[in-house]
Amino acid sequence: MNVIFTCGGTAGHVNPALALAGYMQERHPDLRVLFVGTPRGMERGLIEKAGYDFRSIEVSSFQRSLSPSGIAHNVKSLKNLALAGSRARAILRDFRPDLVVGTGGYASYPTVKAAAKMGIPTAVHESNAVPGLTTELLEPYAGRIMVGFESCRQHYKHPEKVAVTGTPVREDFFTLTKEAAKEKLGVNDGRPLIVSFWGSLGASGMNAQMADMLALEAGKEPFHHIHGAGKSGYAAVLKALAEKGVDLKDHPSLQVREYIYDMAPVMRAADLVICRAGASTVSELTALGVPAIMVPSPYVTNNHQEKNARALETHGGVEVLLEQDSSGQALFQAAAGILRDDARREAMASAMAELGIRDAAQRIYETVQELL
């Protein structure tokens, strides 16, 4: 069997495809896999590192803006798209897939559309709470649209095509119990653990707020706190703390790391996470049943992070702070309010767990098998 996965733009689009490819190969050792993305997107490095063949198609994004610059950008994108269609058809004729799965990003559009027109079974996975522009455009062509939560179904014109599968989460997130993870990290003295991060590259404004929050925590150290500052933010957070008179050597319960390399046990041990609201993070938190304070990034297309966060907030698992309203003091007070109220924290954890889908890879696999 031959399968094409097509995706790009962010790790949140690429990782579900990698997870599904691995799951399918375990069940079909003779499976041939090809990934299709853009030549300069981050997807190429992630896919080639995972050991899969990769073919590229030049595709550029579309903007929803009707400003002159937005219109000019979209005209150029339409020209690229016209050429992308012929490139996609050539790849499909060469590889002869039995199935094409798009997992998001504009890179997936030409291949899924061309496959559908050639009579090849197609499916689309949408990680975000509301469909992105690419998913909206592909809805008429996709045989199935796979989403994270039941509440997502309302956003589609063809709800009969929608299957609630969740988004795959790495298996190593579940190898330890919460208690074992706390013991492994040395945070099992009864104090709750806060974990915070703003993405692998950090976010300068939010890291400055986190330095303020850590300085407040240093007073009495009521919690354990592990903060991933990102490569660009690590030195800045340490400098800000030093200027506030905080030396982390004197506060063993507070950790600032450039990157949280052991994310699986750290997330498993967490009692509260403070973070953005990207699709991968949402999937991990709900699968683990961990409550969160989310500060959605205001710099993403279609404001999808706030929509992700609001969906969790409506269900009771998340407290949302917009970046314009956030501060170190506000984050500290919000965290303390949750962690000092056991009933509230447990209710939030239960709400997150109700949304979590641990067997997402299996559900996606079964959904695409129906197409075959």
Side-chain angles (χ1 to χ4, degrees), residues 107-302:
S108 63
Y109 178 80
T111 308
V112 173
K113 181 180 177 181
K117 287 195 167 187
M118 292 170 69
I120 300 167
T122 60
V124 171
H125 182 272
E126 176 59 72
S127 300
N128 290 303
V130 295
L133 180 58
T134 301
T135 302
E136 289 180 349
L137 292 172
L138 286 175
E139 184 175 358
Y141 302 101
R144 289 287 187 279
I145 298 169
M146 301 173 287
V147 299
F149 311 112
E150 182 61 41
S151 61
C152 301
R153 194 185 298 271
Q154 63 183 306
H155 300 294
Y156 293 89
K157 296 177 183 177
H158 300 280
E160 73 280 0
K161 288 186 177 183
V162 175
V164 180
T165 61
T167 298
V169 174
R170 286 162 29 195
E171 286 296 322
D172 60 341
F173 274 65
F174 310 110
T175 55
L176 295 175
T177 65
K178 191 180 189 73
E179 294 72 22
K182 282 181 175 288
E183 184 175 351
K184 181 176 182 178
L185 296 171
V187 295
N188 55 341
D189 60 3
R191 285 180 292 173
L193 170 64
I194 297 172
V195 175
S196 56
F197 51 87
W198 306 112
S200 58
L201 297 179
S204 58
M206 294 311 303
N207 271 326
Q209 293 187 23
M210 196 52 58
D212 291 338
M213 179 178 176
L214 287 162
L216 291 170
E217 292 176 271
K220 294 184 178 179
E221 296 188 50
F223 320 119
H224 290 281
H225 190 159
I226 298 174
H227 176 58
K231 184 177 181 180
S232 62
Y234 179 70
V237 171
L238 294 183
K239 181 181 178 183
L241 286 171
E243 291 172 351
K244 299 173 190 299
V246 177
D247 186 340
L248 291 179
K249 293 178 183 177
D250 300 326
H251 303 281
S253 64
L254 307 180
Q255 299 180 38
V256 176
R257 305 185 189 179
E258 182 176 309
Y259 191 75
I260 303 175
Y261 290 101
D262 54 342
M263 185 60 87
V266 167
M267 288 279 275
R268 191 71 168 120
D271 296 289
L272 178 70
V273 171
I274 303 175
C275 58
R276 294 298 199 189
S280 294
T281 301
V282 166
S283 300
E284 291 161 3
L285 291 172
T286 53
L288 292 169
V290 180
I293 298 169
M294 288 187 164
V295 186
S297 173
Y299 312 111
V300 297
T301 304
N302 197 25

Side-chain angles (χ1 to χ4, degrees), residues 32 45 100 122 131 143 156 202 233 243 253 292 298 308 319 329:
R32 292 180 65 224
V100 173
T122 60
Y156 293 89
E243 291 172 351
S253 64
N308 288 346
E319 183 171 332
Q329 180 73 38

